[in-house]
Amino acid sequence: MINILFSQEYKNHDTGNHPESIKRIEVVNNLIKEKYTKQNLIEPTIADKNMISLVHDKEYVNYIFDSIPTSGLSYLDPDTIACPTSLKSYLLAVGGSVDAVKKIIDDDNKKNVYFCAHRPPGHHAERNKAMGFGVFNNVAVSAQYALSTGKFKKILIVDFDVHHGNGTQHIFENNPDIHYASSHQFPFYPGTGSSNEIGIGNIFNCPLPSGCNSDTFKALFRKNIVDKINNNFDLIYFSAGFDAHKLDPLASINLENEDFYWVTKIILEKLANNVPIISVLEGGYDMKGLFHGLDNHLKALLEYSNE
Ligand SMILES: [Zn+2]
């Protein structure tokens, strides 16, 4: 069984015609209703400022709280919008990602699987900067919290969103206990993610050429990520973005629906030694691509949880 953290509240983060829109969470909602009603659905709780400050500067956190408009929209960066009711989504997206860690610890670090159906995405958010639709780095706060409990010694974050997770890489590039592996179109937004960015030997970047198809993706992903990393982690995250799908309007990678099953499965088979998994939604801006990509990702997670 998969545990799915989901809230209708994400429909109140209203970005209008922006690609990172309310429609995305409606698609996720429809997928859960259609195919995953037997899974354990959980409401996330909100994160407080102290929790968010595990990876973000306190001044930045205060700045975001103070930047929420009372009417209309605020731009936190040229791509990143806040409406009057956005703050709760930001806090639930972080809080739910942390809730998953707390629940895993309560269950004695067993092989539990959590999917956090959150928006906005977080992997571009830097310590002190909103970026690329995201305000707080949901995965980074959660992973830092997990480490701070002392219950996990070594954590892997696998990011298959089509964009490089500059925020996550920068936050952890000097942390020997957290490894970050990312496949992404390169060169492309946000500009980071070349294969020479290796941190302290804990960063594994897999740049993908524009137009890359399934076969090239699989070969590069094996060579640069799967074959380079050991299976000695006690917690694995997915930064699960579905914008490398061939239908996605924001990028030029041509993955098929089933490739999201493949990429999830190979990580679980090769690198997850019966450990808990937390997957957190990142991008995915074509509604069909998001629906089918996520369905394939969840299918692989479900199989792992039932093994
Ligand atoms: Zn993306």
Side-chain angles (χ1 to χ4, degrees):
M1 191 182 63
I2 319 178
N3 303 284
I4 301 178
L5 284 135
F6 177 80
S7 172
Q8 297 293 343
E9 179 65 31
Y10 294 122
K11 293 181 183 168
N12 295 327
H13 172 44
D14 188 356
T15 53
N17 291 329
H18 192 282
E20 204 291 288
S21 69
I22 294 171
K23 270 192 207 150
R24 299 183 64 239
I25 210 69
E26 288 172 348
V27 164
V28 174
N29 194 8
N30 293 343
L31 174 64
I32 295 170
K33 270 196 195 155
E34 212 174 288
K35 293 187 143 180
Y36 296 94
T37 44
K38 289 189 185 143
Q39 308 311 309
N40 186 26
L41 295 185
I42 306 168
E43 276 285 326
T45 63
I46 59 169
D48 62 19
K49 285 185 176 178
N50 285 337
M51 185 64 79
I52 300 167
S53 303
L54 283 173
V55 305
H56 291 285
D57 293 348
K58 282 207 163 70
E59 299 71 32
Y60 169 71
V61 177
N62 287 330
Y63 159 76
I64 293 297
F65 274 67
D66 294 343
S67 301
I68 304 300
T70 48
S71 66
L73 300 175
S74 288
Y75 281 79
L76 303 170
D77 104 312
D79 296 323
T80 311
I81 294 175
C83 80
T85 47
S86 290
L87 185 62
K88 196 162 178 198
S89 284
Y90 302 161
L91 302 182
L92 286 171
V94 179
S97 309
V98 171
D99 290 344
V101 176
K102 291 180 176 169
K103 287 172 189 298
I104 288 167
I105 293 172
D106 285 348
D107 205 22
D108 221 9
N109 291 22
K110 287 204 200 85
K111 179 188 170 184
N112 289 337
V113 177
Y114 285 82
F115 175 67
C116 303
H118 295 165
R119 66 181 281 266
H123 70 158
H124 295 303
E126 299 273 3
R127 284 184 188 280
N128 58 2
K129 199 172 159 203
M131 236 182 109
F133 317 161
V135 174
F136 299 131
N137 196 314
N138 308 318
V139 168
V141 175
S142 178
Q144 187 67 55
Y145 171 76
L147 211 56
S148 75
T149 65
K151 303 277 185 187
F152 305 94
K153 301 273 174 274
K154 210 144 183 110
I155 296 173
L156 172 65
I157 301 168
V158 177
D159 183 340
F160 57 79
D161 187 282
V162 82
H163 304 97
H164 181 243
N166 56 291
T168 313
Q169 175 173 303
H170 289 149
I171 288 165
F172 294 129
E173 62 194 354
N174 293 311
N175 188 331
D177 302 321
I178 297 188
H179 287 208
Y180 175 69
S182 173
S183 59
H184 44 270
Q185 186 172 334
F186 186 87
F188 197 51
Y189 182 88
T192 51
S194 85
S195 44
N196 3 330
E197 295 164 27
I198 57 166
I200 49 170
N202 64 332
I203 304 294
F204 300 85
N205 280 315
C206 173
L208 306 171
S210 174
C212 171
N213 64 12
S214 297
D215 289 346
T216 311
F217 168 74
K218 288 177 184 174
L220 290 171
F221 194 89
R222 273 182 197 278
K223 180 173 160 238
N224 294 302
I225 294 180
V226 179
D227 294 347
K228 281 194 176 167
I229 301 178
N230 297 321
N231 67 342
N232 58 349
F233 300 94
D234 43 24
L235 176 60
I236 295 181
Y237 285 85
F238 284 100
S239 257
F242 301 91
D243 39 11
H245 193 282
K246 64 180 179 185
L247 295 175
D248 200 277
L250 296 195
S252 314
I253 300 297
N254 294 318
L255 297 195
E256 307 287 339
N257 297 335
E258 297 74 25
D259 293 330
F260 295 97
Y261 176 82
W262 181 89
V263 73
T264 310
K265 194 80 177 170
I266 197 161
I267 292 295
L268 296 173
E269 276 181 1
K270 304 275 186 188
L271 304 181
N273 200 1
N274 286 316
V275 297
I277 306 292
I278 301 175
S279 175
V280 180
L281 183 62
E282 299 283 359
Y285 306 100
D286 176 82
M287 297 309 126
K288 275 190 189 154
L290 175 59
F291 184 96
H292 294 293
L294 177 56
D295 187 22
N296 274 271
H297 176 59
L298 292 178
K299 195 172 130 198
L301 290 178
L302 187 55
E303 286 175 9
Y304 174 80
S305 76
N306 291 335
E307 271 163 16

